[in-house]
Amino acid sequence: MAKILIVEDDKIIAREMKKYMENWGYEAATIQNFTEILSEFAAFSPQLVLMDISLPFYSGYYWCEKIRQISKVPIIFVSSASDNMNIIMAVNMGGDDFIAKPFDFQVLMAKIQAILRRTYDFADNSDLIEHKGLIFNLSDLTVLYNGKKAELTKNEARILQQLLEKKGKIVSRDSLMMRLWETDSFVDDNTLSVNVNRLRKKLEQLGLESFITTKKGAGYLIEG
């Protein structure tokens, strides 16, 4: 079943929504840190988001816009601010539907199921990898950190993907070269070094110093 992320700061409402989603067989999660909504979104990789408008620090509109920069996942706004202006704003910011509080759980579930049917066939939405605030989008080969984005080449993306998939473990140079060899005609030791250095520079420009560690004679490591 689908994964649903609940962005709601009222703990009682959030808990009830989560319980109801789970009773229907969905996997649901609530936001724990309202300054890190984008990171928690990427880490959970939901198929649908339920978004309140009035949130601590930044509004639901702000976070909808940030999510839209990296994902087309359906977003349903759930808010007591249900005047026409807010509904229009929610749609214009990238929302797919709007439900006014207080709401009927059966109506909410009907809308969720309808949007999920329209959106998925049902493929898993797992194009995002999140680690320590870095969001790596496999669908367009971009990395995002603290609002800054960088585009990666295919080789840089393959290296980063393997290191992230094995985070906390040393990945040998031979293993990385074999990964690159899958699609390129020839990859030697120097080609790997050039690609790793370019990847490091792009990460450093985003503010990620020493994100990839060299283990002399062994390979490379991204700390877990």
Side-chain angles (χ1 to χ4, degrees):
M1 294 294 283
K3 296 164 70 176
I4 299 174
L5 181 64
I6 300 163
V7 187
E8 167 64 65
D9 63 318
D10 185 310
K11 292 183 179 179
I12 295 175
I13 294 175
R15 185 168 61 246
E16 288 301 311
M17 292 173 77
K18 183 175 186 292
K19 181 180 177 182
Y20 195 83
M21 300 298 117
E22 290 173 343
N23 285 341
W24 273 82
Y26 294 104
E27 183 180 350
T30 57
I31 293 297
Q32 303 303 307
N33 184 344
F34 284 89
T35 64
E36 298 291 340
I37 289 176
L38 197 62
S39 292
E40 292 191 26
F41 165 84
F44 186 57
S45 192
Q47 276 78 39
L48 184 139
V49 176
L50 299 175
M51 178 78 71
D52 193 7
I53 293 175
S54 300
L55 298 169
F57 308 107
Y58 300 100
S59 73
Y61 297 137
Y62 171 88
W63 290 114
C64 180
E65 185 178 21
K66 291 296 181 184
I67 289 172
R68 278 289 167 264
Q69 292 176 4
I70 61 172
S71 175
K72 295 179 181 178
V73 65
I75 298 173
I76 300 177
F77 278 92
V78 184
S79 176
S80 56
S82 56
D83 57 277
N84 287 341
M85 185 60 70
N86 275 296
I87 294 174
I88 292 170
M89 178 76 77
V91 173
N92 287 340
M93 294 302 290
D96 295 270
D97 207 336
F98 192 105
I99 296 178
K101 292 179 182 176
F103 57 85
D104 184 296
F105 271 109
Q106 291 182 333
V107 173
L108 174 64
M109 185 54 62
K111 285 181 175 285
I112 288 172
Q113 290 176 335
I115 288 179
L116 288 174
R117 281 196 301 270
R118 288 201 305 268
T119 308
Y120 302 102
D121 50 0
F122 192 85
D124 187 27
N125 180 36
S126 56
D127 286 339
L128 303 176
I129 300 175
E130 190 277 339
H131 185 57
K132 295 184 176 179
L134 173 75
I135 298 172
F136 177 29
N137 192 330
L138 296 169
S139 64
D140 64 4
L141 306 186
T142 61
V143 284
L144 182 72
Y145 182 74
N146 277 350
K148 295 180 180 179
K149 183 183 281 190
E151 295 183 0
L152 304 182
T153 65
K154 289 182 180 179
N155 279 349
E156 291 163 357
R158 292 186 190 112
I159 292 167
L160 182 60
Q161 183 178 355
Q162 187 161 1
L163 291 174
L164 285 171
E165 288 172 349
K166 305 270 184 157
K167 61 181 180 288
K169 299 178 181 178
I170 297 172
V171 180
S172 70
R173 291 178 62 87
D174 286 344
S175 177
L176 288 170
M177 282 192 285
M178 286 186 67
R179 182 68 171 264
L180 301 186
W181 186 278
E182 291 173 3
T183 52
D184 292 328
S185 58
F186 179 71
V187 177
D188 60 13
D189 199 63
N190 184 59
T191 303
L192 176 63
S193 297
V194 169
N195 279 278
V196 170
N197 288 335
R198 286 176 179 167
L199 174 59
R200 274 184 167 142
K201 286 180 181 177
K202 289 181 179 180
L203 295 176
E204 287 170 0
Q205 288 170 357
L206 298 180
L208 287 163
E209 301 284 342
S210 303
F211 192 74
I212 299 173
T213 304
T214 299
K215 295 297 182 181
K216 197 168 183 179
Y220 301 98
L221 167 72
I222 290 178
E223 298 287 351

